Amino acid sequence: MIRGFRRRDEPGGTPKSKPPLSSGDRAAQNGQEFEALLQKAERLLASVRRGGRRQLTLRCLQAAVVLVPALVLLVTDARRAALVAVLMAAGVLCAVAELWAIRPVVRTRERQLAELNEMVDTLREVLVHLANRERWPAHRVRDARDRLAQFSVEERGGLW
């Protein structure tokens, strides 16, 4: 121990500071907050799906960069040296695309998906209690459950 300082877990030490609450950590306190959080989750779901389509498009382009020149060279009966050179250049382009284009999209999508799952878990936990406390009509509860049901696909790996 450094003289004059105490560890956080020692008596009299500074308490550990808690990280700021994210939107998923804070449960909705009323129907309006529930609705706002559900709308935010729906927007985030749309963003996750756009990211998945973008990722698929980039992967297809990446494959095309290798396959199209290789097929053209094979069909035209080009020399092996040309085929090897083109495939090596295509490989380099694919590696660059992976680092600069695809990985950022994948990381963003994974982060958004984790945030989305946290939000939806919170909404599912709060729904019944909030509906009972505020005495929501059955159609409103059913509508909320239907809207929450759209998120179950994303938890299993999701759609593009």
Side-chain angles (χ1 to χ4, degrees):
M1 180 172 101
I2 300 174
R3 202 172 119 189
F5 291 94
R6 293 183 188 203
R7 291 189 345 217
R8 291 176 192 224
D9 56 346
E10 285 184 278
T14 36
K16 292 184 180 180
S17 61
K18 293 183 180 179
L21 294 176
S22 70
S23 59
D25 293 335
R26 191 175 146 276
Q29 300 297 316
N30 59 42
Q32 289 177 329
E33 288 181 11
F34 181 88
E35 181 65 29
L37 193 57
L38 184 54
Q39 287 176 355
K40 182 178 179 182
E42 288 170 336
R43 286 190 303 272
L44 193 56
L45 175 63
S47 179
V48 165
R49 288 181 172 163
R50 278 192 308 273
R53 287 190 301 270
R54 190 175 309 119
Q55 180 182 346
L56 180 62
T57 301
L58 290 170
R59 292 277 184 210
C60 289
L61 288 173
Q62 189 180 35
V65 164
V66 174
L67 293 176
V68 171
L71 289 174
V72 168
L73 289 173
L74 286 173
V75 170
T76 60
D77 199 27
R79 296 183 182 187
R80 277 191 201 268
L83 180 62
V84 169
V86 167
L87 288 177
M88 287 179 69
V92 169
L93 281 173
C94 285
V96 168
E98 181 70 31
L99 293 174
W100 286 349
I102 298 172
R103 282 191 185 171
V105 170
V106 170
R107 278 193 300 265
T108 299
R109 185 168 185 258
E110 287 173 352
R111 187 182 68 250
Q112 288 176 335
L113 193 54
E115 183 181 349
L116 178 64
N117 286 333
E118 186 179 327
M119 262 192 258
V120 171
D121 287 346
T122 300
L123 288 168
R124 285 185 178 140
E125 289 173 11
V126 166
L127 174 62
V128 174
H129 303 292
L130 195 57
N132 286 337
R133 188 177 70 213
E134 293 186 3
R135 298 182 184 183
W136 288 5
H139 68 86
R140 185 173 179 192
V141 175
R142 198 172 33 253
D143 180 53
R145 283 189 177 148
D146 289 344
R147 289 172 68 189
L148 285 172
Q150 70 181 328
F151 298 101
S152 62
V153 173
E154 301 308 316
E155 292 172 0
R156 292 190 305 268
L159 300 172
W160 293 104

